[in-house]
Amino acid sequence: MNRFFTSESVTEGHPDKVCDRIADAILDAHLRRDPYARVACEVTACTDKVHVMGEITTYSHVNYVNTVRRVLHDIGYTESGQGFDDQSCAVTVDLHEQSPDIARGVATINERAAGAGDQGIMFGYACRETENYMPVAFELASKLTKRLSYVRQMQTLPFLRPDGKAQVTVEYVNDIPKRIDTVVLSAQHNDTISEEELKLALMDSVIFAVLPEDMLDRDTRYLINPTGRFVMGGPSADTGLTGRKIIADTYGGAARHGGGAFSGKDPSKVDRSAAYMARYLAKNIVASELADRCEVQLGYAIGVKEPVSIAVETFGTQRAPVPEILRLILNCEDLTPYGIISKFDLRRPMYEPLSCYGHFGINAADMPWEKIKWA
C-alpha cells in the first residue's frame, strides 16, 4: 500500500521564527542572571516594528531593545530600505509580572512540591525512519532550510535574503519510506537574480547538496519559488507571531500536538518541559526496541505536580505489552516539573539555538532529552 506524507520547515528569517528567536533570546538573557525567572514572553513583528509583551517575574534586568536588535542582526535583517532591519525598526515593550493566581501553583519555597505552571497535554514521538528517531520527511525539510540559511550566511549564494521555507513529500510503501515525491523550496532573494538562475543555484547548492540521492528519481517534482518571485519577505511582507510554527518545532505533523508552543516560556511551563520529557520517553522506548514507533502523551493540571494522565501509543509495533511499558516509565522517571527540570538541567540559558529548525532530532542532538539512557 502506498501513501504520501508531507512536512514543512522554515528558516530563522521567517516572520514567525523571528519572533520565536527573540522570545527565546529574552528567556536566555533572564536565565543567565536568574535561573528561577518565570518568563512568558510573546513577540509580534511587522513592517518597521517589533512588539515584546507578556509576563516576567524576576530580579534580573535585561535590555530588551538591545536584545531584539542583536537577534535581528544575527538573523540577517541588516539591509536598510527593505521595510525591516535591525537598526530602523521600532521596538516597544509591554511586560508585567506573572499573575498571582498562576504564581500560587509554582512559587513555593520547596521546589520539589511545585506544581505545573499550567494545565495542558504534551506529546512526544519517535520512530525508526532516521538515525535520530525522527520522521524522515521532517528531517529532510529541516536539512533543506538549514542549508538554505548556510549558503546565504556563507555568501555561497549572496543574492539570498533571510526568509525561506521548504516542504518534502515522501512516498511510503507498506509504511516504509521509499522515495521523495515532491520538493517545495521558497527562498527570499534580491531583485537582481533571474528566476532561472535562482532555480539552478538552489537545485545545485541546496537541494542536491542535502537530499539523499537514492530517494530521488526521474519522477520527483521540484517546485522552487512557485510564484516565480520572492523579493519581499520576512516581517515586512507578513506579520510574525510567537508560537505559530509549533509543527515545525516538533515532528512535522507526523505526531499529534497538544497545542502549546515552546518559545519564550521558562521550564516551569510544562508546554515546554513536559514535551521534552515526552520526547525522551518515546525515543528511549524505541531505542530500547520496545517498539518501532511510539507516541507518549502527558497531561498536567495547574498547581498539581504529578501528571494527571500518561498514555503510550505504539501503533501495533510494540515488542512488550503497553502496560509493561507504562510501568517502566513510572519506575524509571520522575514526571513532576521538578523532576523534569532537574533531569534535563532546564534552568540554564540554552533555548535560543532551538528556536528554529526543531527542538528534537539533529538540531537538538546535544540536548539531554535526546540522550538514550535505557538501551
Side-chain angles (χ1 to χ4, degrees), residues 219-255:
D219 295 321
T220 301
R221 292 188 301 163
Y222 303 96
L223 303 175
I224 299 175
N225 282 10
T227 67
R229 180 178 168 88
F230 188 4
V231 173
M232 290 297 295
S236 65
D238 189 11
T239 299
L241 176 66
T242 42
R244 263 202 314 209
K245 284 296 176 186
I246 56 177
I247 298 304
D249 282 339
T250 52
Y251 308 101

Side-chain angles (χ1 to χ4, degrees), residues 59-113:
Y59 62 74
S60 71
H61 298 281
V62 169
N63 188 319
Y64 298 111
V65 174
N66 284 357
T67 301
V68 169
R69 296 197 191 284
R70 191 271 299 166
V71 169
L72 298 182
H73 183 274
D74 290 352
I75 290 173
Y77 283 111
T78 57
E79 189 177 354
S80 62
Q82 298 300 319
F84 189 81
D85 68 84
D86 61 325
Q87 294 302 309
S88 68
C89 73
V91 180
T92 56
V93 179
D94 289 301
L95 293 167
H96 56 84
E97 289 195 345
Q98 186 179 56
S99 158
D101 292 340
I102 296 174
R104 290 181 64 190
V106 294
T108 173
I109 296 175
N110 179 7
E111 189 185 4
R112 291 178 181 272

Side-chain angles (χ1 to χ4, degrees), residues 322-337:
V322 170
E324 187 177 311
I325 296 174
L326 280 167
R327 282 194 296 272
L328 179 63
I329 291 173
L330 293 172
N331 289 336
C332 290
E333 304 299 342
D334 181 349
L335 302 180
T336 66

